[in-house]
Amino acid sequence: MVENQSITKVKIINWNIEKNELLKLERNISFEDIVIEILNDNILETNIY
């Protein structure tokens, strides 16, 4: 009998709460929003410096 197996990778992402609040006030986006977009393979914007 063959058993189905799966492996799930979990990455913990931490951010600074104060910087997140500032980001929300200044740019109307949060680190949570950014993480969700990255996980959904969406690129918000790229900038070359």
Side-chain angles (χ1 to χ4, degrees), residues 7-13:
I7 298 173
T8 303
K9 294 174 89 174
V10 176
K11 181 166 186 147
I12 298 173
I13 302 172

Side-chain angles (χ1 to χ4, degrees), residues 6-39:
S6 66
I7 298 173
T8 303
K9 294 174 89 174
V10 176
K11 181 166 186 147
I12 298 173
I13 302 172
N14 297 308
W15 52 78
N16 181 289
I17 294 171
E18 290 84 15
K19 288 182 181 179
N20 193 43
E21 290 303 316
L22 186 60
L23 187 62
K24 288 193 279 188
L25 285 172
E26 291 183 349
R27 301 191 182 206
N28 199 31
I29 195 167
S30 68
F31 287 125
E32 295 98 331
D33 296 331
I34 294 166
V35 168
I36 289 168
E37 293 302 321
I38 291 170
L39 292 174

